């Protein structure tokens, strides 16, 4: 079969009525920016891009040089094309308006420019995550409040994982598709159409070092997985934790599995509501996973149904193979019911 390039795929999606010309251009621009990020990531120490930038982001986390570079690449690429009304990033407190000298479009873009950044310096996969929303019709200067739309309204979501291969995963709400970067040619080529996550799995991803801080239903659920053939589940489970959400989710889209970043006592004690960000991590990943037949929840509710309250809001994230997510969510709801 003849290879299908990303551009060709976008034209097919336009003809099918799934996207308009502006959204197609937006995805092309994001993909092009991610190719530039891939080049910077691949240079490693030779590009002088490793290590801390010496600044903190809006969440008070130390920024890596590559966080800052990736953010700038995405902002610059998206400023002038006329497809965006504004963009928002993990690395910036407020949304970035489109400069006055450029035309404005109807879309809002949110991104985590370099997810898993604590893995950069050790040469482990990192990635970019993005989500696309429609700008409300009557809004000329979008503010943070205009981004606060539930995940169900996303027009597109995707991520790029910078690993042994650079891979783009994309959904417009009509299945989840994967493109692999052909480095010689410089274009993304369709490598898997309509990815499906198996309903059952025997592999889970979680940071086990947080175990003692988890809530009781999480302790129960993971305890049962760890008990293996000797426990109530009657089968052994394997564990993987890359600690780059993009890489862990990509494994799930490749061979099934589940990913958990639950609420824990330390997060609650600090007045927090989770570790991962709703608008540019949980929502796009939930959209991608659901479109591949998987499930995504906070442990209590479907992620895509949440009404966001802040641009940098954090939530617990459970996602992957449907049967496991349903069971873990059931344990939490049951425990809540028992308490209430
Ligand atoms: P990071 O802080 O390195 O950017 O987005 C946050 C994230 O990575 C996810 O990519 C990853 O799944 C998780 O945090 C890793 O958390 P731990 O440090 O608890 O392992």
């Amino acid at each position: 079969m003849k290879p299908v390039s990303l551009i060709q795929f976008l034209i097919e999606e336009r003809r099918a009525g799934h996207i308009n010309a502006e959204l197609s251009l937006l995805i092309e621009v994001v993909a092009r920016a991610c190719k530039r990020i891939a080049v910077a990531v691949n240079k490693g120490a030779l590009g002088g891009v490793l290590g801390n930038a010496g600044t903190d982001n809006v969440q008070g986390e130390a920024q890596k040089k590559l966080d800052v570079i990736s953010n700038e690449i995405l902002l610059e690429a998206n400023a002038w094309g006329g497809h965006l009304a504004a963009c928002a990033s993990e690395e910036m407190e407020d949304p970035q308006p489109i400069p006055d000298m450029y035309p404005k479009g109807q879309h809002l873009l949110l991104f985590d420019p370099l997810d898993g950044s604590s893995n950069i310096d050790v040469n482990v996969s990192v990635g970019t995550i993005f989500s696309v929303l429609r700008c409300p019709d009557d809004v000329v200067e979008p503010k943070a409040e205009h981004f606060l739309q539930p995940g169900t309204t996303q027009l597109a979501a995707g991520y790029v994982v910078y690993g042994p291969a650079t891979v783009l995963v994309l959904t417009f709400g009509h299945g989840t598709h994967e493109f692999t970067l052909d480095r010689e040619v410089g274009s993304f080529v369709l490598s898997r159409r309509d990815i499906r996550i198996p309903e059952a799995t025997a592999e889970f991803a979680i940071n086990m070092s947080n175990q003692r801080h988890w809530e009781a239903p999480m302790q129960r659920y993971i305890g049962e997985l760890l008990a293996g053939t000797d426990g109530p589940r009657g089968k052994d489970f394997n564990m993987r934790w890359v600690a780059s959400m993009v890489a862990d989710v990509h494994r799930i889209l490749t061979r099934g599995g589940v990913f958990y970043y639950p609420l824990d006592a330390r997060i609650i004690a600090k007045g927090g509501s989770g570790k991962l960000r709703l608008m540019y991590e949980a929502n796009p990943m939930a959209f991608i996973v659901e479109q591949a037949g998987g499930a995504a929840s906070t442990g209590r509710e479907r992620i895509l149904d949440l009404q966001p309250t802040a641009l940098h809001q954090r939530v617990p994230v459970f996602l992957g193979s449907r049967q496991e997510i349903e069971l873990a969510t059931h344990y939490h709801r049951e425990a809540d019911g028992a308490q209430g």
Side-chain angles (χ1 to χ4, degrees), residues 154-234:
Q154 290 174 101
L155 300 176
Y159 66 80
V160 176
V161 54
Y162 311 107
T166 293
V167 171
L168 163 70
V169 170
L170 191 59
T171 184
F172 297 120
H174 298 273
T176 292
H177 316 287
E178 179 203 80
F179 302 82
T180 301
L181 181 62
D182 181 331
R183 284 178 216 253
E184 279 77 42
V185 180
S187 74
F188 280 106
V189 177
L190 185 64
S191 37
R192 283 190 293 159
R193 199 188 276 274
D194 246 320
I195 297 172
R196 302 310 291 169
I197 298 174
E199 292 214 346
T201 184
E203 196 163 72
F204 67 100
I206 195 162
N207 184 342
M208 282 298 298
S209 69
N210 295 330
Q211 181 173 22
R212 70 187 191 283
H213 305 291
W214 297 334
E215 296 179 285
M218 201 64 205
Q219 301 274 4
R220 174 188 174 193
Y221 170 77
I222 295 290
E224 289 181 2
L225 302 192
L226 294 176
T229 46
D230 300 333
R233 300 299 303 273

Side-chain angles (χ1 to χ4, degrees), residues 112 115-118 207 210 241 243-245 259 261 275-277 281:
D112 177 353
D115 176 65
S117 43
S118 42
N207 184 342
N210 295 330
W241 182 249
S244 282
M245 191 193 197
F259 170 96
Y261 216 111
K275 150 109 181 172
L276 301 177
R277 275 49 66 111
E281 292 182 319

